[in-house]
Amino acid sequence: MVKLQTNHGNITLELDEERAPATVKNFLDYVNNGFYNNTVFHRVIDNFMIQGGGFEPGMREKPTKAPIRNEAANGLTNDKYTVAMARTSDPHSATAQFFINVKDNSFLNYSAPNRHDYGYCVFGKVVSGTEVVDAIRKVKTGNKTGHQDVPLEDVIIMKAEVVQ
C-alpha cells in the first residue's frame, strides 16, 4: 500500500505485486527514493483520468530512470479508481508517471501485442481517498508551458510513502 499525501487530501493505493511485479517494483523504487514528493498531478481530464508523477510545481520535468517493460497483459483492467502507468506511443516507455482512472476506460486495456493495442498497465487501485480523486478531477485546468489540461492551481503530491 502506498499513501499519496496531497494538498487535497490523502489517497491510498493497494498495489498488485502478483500481477504486475516489475511495474510495482518500479513504482515502489520511485516512492522509496522520495521521487514523487513535491510533484504535481499535471494532467487532469474530468471523466477520464488524473495523471502525475513526472513534474514539480511550475511544470519542471523531473529526470527518470530507464523505461520498464509494459505488463498490461496481466488481466487487470482500467476501471474506475485503478492506477496505471502512463507512457508514450511506445508501449514499453513507462518510467515514473502514473494515472488514476476516474471512470471505466476499457479502451486503454491490453488487447494485442502491437503498438496500437498494447494498452496501459494497471498495477493497483485506490482503496481510500476516492473523494480526493473526485475533487482533483473537478479542478479548473488550462494550458501551461506547452501542456494541456494542467490544473490552474497546483495539485501537489506532498509525500508518497509505503504504508501497511
Side-chain angles (χ1 to χ4, degrees), residues 14-118:
E14 179 180 73
L15 308 183
D16 194 331
E17 190 172 22
E18 184 177 315
R19 292 169 92 178
T23 306
V24 168
K25 180 187 181 315
N26 177 69
F27 186 75
L28 289 175
D29 285 349
Y30 281 111
V31 168
N32 290 328
N33 289 331
F35 181 88
Y36 294 125
N37 299 348
N38 197 40
T39 60
V40 294
F41 280 100
H42 66 276
R43 186 170 174 233
V44 172
I45 304 174
D46 187 20
N47 211 30
F48 179 36
M49 59 88 225
I50 62 174
Q51 181 175 337
F55 292 84
E56 295 175 325
M59 292 300 290
R60 289 183 302 277
E61 191 166 6
K62 294 186 75 170
T64 61
K65 301 181 300 178
I68 59 170
R69 186 127 187 96
N70 190 330
E71 296 178 305
N74 62 14
L76 298 172
T77 53
N78 283 276
D79 298 331
K80 188 173 186 178
Y81 301 126
T82 57
V83 60
M85 291 306 293
R87 61 173 177 81
T88 66
S89 59
D90 175 354
H92 305 290
S93 61
T95 56
Q97 291 186 35
F98 62 92
F99 61 92
I100 298 172
N101 290 290
V102 300
K103 73 174 197 70
D104 292 349
N105 289 313
S106 60
F107 71 97
L108 298 178
N109 295 339
Y110 174 89
S111 60
N114 61 55
R115 281 179 88 83
H116 180 71
D117 301 313
Y118 215 97

